[in-house]
Structure formats: C-alpha cells, structure tokens
Amino acid sequence: MNGGNWGNGGNAGLFYLNANNAPSNANSNIGCRLAMEDWARSGAATAAPTVPHPSGAHSCLIGDEQKPGDAAGKVPVASPTLFERIVAWDNLVAAYREARKGKRQSQEVAAFDADAFANLVDIHEHLLRGTWQPGQARRFWVRDPKWREITAPPFPDRIVHHAIVRIIEPLFERRFVHDSYACRRGKGTHAAVRRTQSFLRGAVRTWSRPYIVKVDVKSYFASIDHDVLLRQMSRVVRDDRVLALLRTVYSGYGFSGVGLPVGALTSQLAANILLDVIDHKVKDDLGVRYYVRYMDDMVAVVSGKNAARSLLGRIALELAALGLRVNPKSGIWPAARGVDFCGYRIFHAHIRPRKRCLCAWKKRFAALRRRHESGQATLGQCRQRVMSFLAVMRHANAWRTSASILSRFTLGASHAHHRRSSSDRQFPVLQPPVFAC
C-alpha cells in the first residue's frame, strides 16, 4: 500500500494510489481519499462535491462525528449544491444508520455490515460518477384489506433513498398544507381522524345540512407519470443532477415512465408532492376550509349538496390534469351519515371502528387461537396481539364492541387433553373508558 499525508497533494494517504510515492513515505496522519477524487475535482465529473467526505485521522470510522480542521491557511469553500449535500459522506453514513434501524438482525443488513465501509465507499463512488443504478427488488403481496403488491428495494438502495429524502424532504415539507397527514412527522392516521372529526363538528355548528365529499384516486401509485412528477418537483429542486438521480430511482424496479413502487421511501414523498397541487388548489384557490388528505384519500366538508357536487367535479378535473383518475367509489353524502376514513367511521359526535376492520380482527383472533392450541403461538404472542387490538380500539368509542370480541377469544392449554372452564380462559371484560370531549 502506498502512502502519504493528506496535505501532500498527489502524495495522498490510505486507499490512494500514487506510483511516485514510496511506501516508506507514510505517517500516522493518514486520511481516506478516494482515487477518483482528483479526477472529480479536475472537472471531468459533473457530480463531484466540494468535500465528498471528511478527512483526518479518523475518517475511516463510520461512527465518528467529523469536525472541520483548524489548520492555518484554510481555503474558502463554496456552499455545496443540493446534489453535493445528498452524496456527502456524512449524509450517506446517516442514511445508512437510518436504513438499518430496526433491521440489524436481517440477513441482508448483516451481509452489508460485514464490510460496511467498503460498501458505502462503493455507493459513494457510483453516485459521484453518475453510474449508480437500482438493484434487484424483492416483490411480495399483502392483503390489508385488499391485495397489494409490495416492492422492497435491496438494502444498499434503501441507503440511497434515505440519503435523498433526508436532503430534499425539508424543502417540500415547508410547502405542504397542514392538513396532509400521510408519511409526515407528527402526523399519521389518528391525527387525521381527530382533525376530520373536528371539521365535522365545525361544519355542523356552521351549516344546517353540511355535505361530505370523499375522493379516492384509482390505482394511485401505479398511475403516477414520472414526467408529470418530476416537472412538479423541478419547481423546488433546481439541480439537474438531483432530478436525474430521482428519475433513475423512479425508473428502477420494473417501472418505466409510469408507476412507483409501493414500499420505497422515495415513493411516499413523491406521492405527497404530486397531490400537494390538489391540496393547494382546494385550500387556497377554492377556499375549502374543512379539507383533509391522507395519501390518495381526500375528505372535505362543505355547506350543501350543490357545493359538494361542484367540488367533486373540480377535483376530478385537477386529477385528470395530473394523469390520474377518480375511483368510482368516490362520492358525496350528508355529513350526518359520517365518513369512512383511515380505518374508522367518523361522526361529529363519536367515532366507530369500521365493520371490515372488526371482521378482520375476529378472523385474526380465531386464527391465533388455533395456532396457540396447536402450540405454534405462545401466550406472549397472544398478549401482544390483544394489546395491538386495544391500541386500535382506544381511538374509537367502542368499548362494548372490544369487550365482546375479546370475550370470545378464549385460550386453552396447548396440546392438553383437559380443558378448563371458559371463565378461567377468557380475557377479562373491559371496563368502559372515559373519552375526552
């Protein structure tokens, strides 16, 4: 291995090939600089950041926090561009940590961790050269409640996705309307449910017969046009290299021109960005105050039937301009009937769980009971499932329904020939909770 110190120009240190520098010319002040860095700085590469990754004695340690040196005669460095911030070494390391959070035991992550530094350097080089391409994704189907195909990118790709989202998401977050609740920090389904109920209460106090407008986009992720999406993103992202990288991400995993993979982090942000146009149209241009969106599900409360029909038509036209279609199950109805939204049936005075959600929970408990009796499920797993059910039900006025479902969930001793009385095997009957108004 040939060596030198960091400030020795071409006589660079670790991982840098310099045929004119003897191996004996190495010292303890070694840094990590890639061989392609001088090529990038010479102008041959259009995707080279000012400082690709930090230097110094500890630059090879992924977990160390880097600080700028205090050497005399520092040269002023121009502010990095958006692309340079994405491919910066510190950002890649942070993205790597986020991508592996909660998944360190998986085989894919363990294989990457076996030589994490070299794998990150490889990703870094490909991003700088503009040669990065998505890998082979894993596809599977889930049913909740309808069948959906999930496309799970490989772990190295997820690092790139996190690196992109970490930098560009704040640029769009400040432009999103407050009442968009999907895949955003501090938001979520339960916050959307509470906001919808508060809107229903306000509408009932304001108008004598308010109407609900419920809009769902048909096959939303599979219908997103890449050109339309990138044109919308280019209003905020002015860096052509970032837009080219985003197009590479969106065009991977078998999607060419149309469609985004359900299961990719970048797809969630892109879905919010595209429909943000509708949010501002409804809120700002049309002046609809009571409007909430969770991904491709939109709920608005207006003064009457005619206003509801007009709003539904306007939203359909705006969606058509984006290359999207309204799902036939969209419609309008009086607010007194409530609305199915984010897993609950929401009324102005109370909230109920959806019937299909209750049926799904009954089936889960029946299957879990059979697994427990055959010895395939432990009592701890059953307890976890019960606590998950109670966590969902606590956001609705449904304590009697919850108690009824749990009273039927009886557990007998697994692989036992004798059975205890049902009173010994039932979960305790729930007491009615106190709901805050």
Side-chain angles (χ1 to χ4, degrees):
M1 178 177 292
N2 300 297
N5 60 39
W6 178 262
N8 198 20
N11 301 329
L14 195 61
F15 296 114
Y16 190 90
L17 178 62
N18 180 14
N20 297 321
N21 191 29
S24 60
N25 191 24
N27 55 38
S28 59
N29 184 25
I30 58 175
C32 172
R33 187 166 66 172
L34 304 180
M36 49 73 62
E37 185 181 336
D38 284 351
W39 167 82
R41 289 182 174 177
S42 67
T46 60
T50 306
V51 183
H53 53 77
S55 62
H58 301 288
S59 61
C60 296
L61 301 180
I62 293 177
D64 286 0
E65 182 180 357
Q66 305 297 333
K67 295 182 180 180
D70 296 328
K74 291 187 294 184
V75 179
V77 179
S79 299
T81 65
L82 194 63
F83 182 83
E84 292 167 355
R85 291 170 57 194
I86 290 175
V87 303
W89 181 255
D90 285 347
N91 188 52
L92 280 181
V93 171
Y96 159 71
R97 291 172 178 170
E98 291 180 0
R100 76 197 287 258
K101 188 179 298 182
K103 299 178 176 64
R104 297 179 64 177
Q105 304 302 322
S106 70
Q107 197 172 24
E108 185 181 23
V109 177
F112 189 93
D113 287 349
D115 198 358
F117 180 75
N119 291 328
L120 283 176
V121 168
D122 182 65
I123 295 175
H124 188 233
E125 285 191 10
H126 281 294
L127 288 174
L128 287 173
R129 294 175 183 270
T131 58
W132 180 86
Q133 291 294 327
Q136 186 66 35
R138 181 170 57 93
R139 299 177 182 273
F140 57 94
W141 291 82
V142 297
R143 186 178 183 181
D144 188 29
K146 64 181 181 180
W147 288 103
R148 300 177 186 272
E149 184 183 20
I150 305 299
T151 303
F155 181 69
D157 289 14
R158 295 202 296 270
I159 295 175
V160 177
H161 296 179
H162 277 275
I164 295 173
V165 172
R166 278 175 52 84
I167 300 302
I168 70 172
E169 183 180 35
L171 305 178
F172 292 97
E173 179 66 29
R174 68 188 67 168
R175 291 168 169 79
F176 289 158
V177 300
H178 175 77
D179 293 314
S180 171
Y181 286 88
C183 305
R184 297 177 64 191
R185 290 181 176 89
K187 304 289 185 177
T189 56
H190 297 134
V193 169
R194 291 192 297 269
R195 185 69 164 173
T196 303
Q197 187 181 46
S198 69
F199 281 170
L200 285 172
R201 289 174 175 175
V204 169
R205 289 193 297 265
T206 304
W207 302 304
S208 59
R209 189 176 171 80
Y211 262 68
I212 288 175
V213 180
K214 176 71 182 297
V215 180
D216 178 71
V217 180
K218 183 176 178 61
S219 303
Y220 179 44
F221 280 86
S223 304
I224 295 178
D225 187 280
H226 296 179
D227 291 333
V228 176
L229 172 62
L230 291 171
R231 185 165 59 249
Q232 178 66 20
M233 298 181 74
S234 65
R235 300 172 60 184
V236 177
V237 177
R238 303 300 179 93
D239 194 321
D240 292 337
R241 292 172 296 178
V242 176
L243 294 175
L245 178 59
L246 288 169
R247 184 179 291 276
T248 301
V249 172
Y250 298 148
S251 300
Y253 318 117
F255 297 90
S256 179
V258 178
L260 295 180
V262 178
L265 184 64
T266 50
S267 299
Q268 299 173 4
L269 177 61
N272 270 336
I273 292 173
L274 187 60
L275 287 186
D276 183 59
V277 180
I278 306 297
D279 298 341
H280 285 283
K281 185 69 176 181
V282 174
K283 285 275 193 180
D284 301 337
D285 297 348
L286 301 181
V288 178
R289 177 182 179 185
Y290 302 134
Y291 168 86
V292 180
R293 180 176 66 83
Y294 189 90
M295 198 50 73
D296 61 327
D297 289 333
M298 312 171 206
V299 174
V301 190
V302 294
S303 58
K305 189 173 184 178
N306 291 333
R309 285 177 175 171
S310 175
L311 179 59
L312 181 60
R314 292 294 297 272
I315 293 177
L317 289 176
E318 294 297 329
L319 289 174
L322 298 176
L324 304 172
R325 295 175 295 167
V326 174
N327 197 309
K329 67 181 181 181
S330 305
I332 63 173
W333 53 81
R337 290 171 48 186
V339 58
D340 283 343
F341 189 54
C342 293
Y344 296 90
R345 183 78 176 179
I346 309 170
F347 300 86
H348 78 278
H350 59 278
I351 299 174
R352 301 289 190 196
R354 298 178 72 174
K355 290 184 178 180
R356 73 181 186 185
C357 293
L358 295 177
C359 292
W361 276 110
K362 292 177 182 177
K363 292 179 181 179
R364 293 190 191 110
F365 281 130
L368 184 61
R369 181 175 62 248
R370 292 191 296 269
R371 291 179 57 209
H372 178 266
E373 292 177 352
S374 64
Q376 299 178 3
T378 64
L379 185 60
Q381 292 173 329
C382 297
R383 191 183 301 275
Q384 290 177 358
R385 181 59 59 89
V386 170
M387 297 308 295
S388 299
F389 170 74
L390 294 177
V392 173
M393 292 297 109
R394 69 187 295 267
H395 294 278
N397 307 85
W399 70 270
R400 288 191 180 90
T401 303
S402 303
S404 175
I405 292 176
L406 289 182
S407 66
R408 302 175 186 176
F409 182 47
T410 59
L411 296 178
S414 59
H415 296 291
H417 297 286
H418 66 281
R419 303 185 67 86
R420 295 173 292 176
S421 62
S422 60
S423 60
D424 293 334
R425 293 182 278 103
Q426 288 178 347
F427 281 86
V429 178
L430 300 177
Q431 296 299 322
V434 178
F435 292 94
C437 298

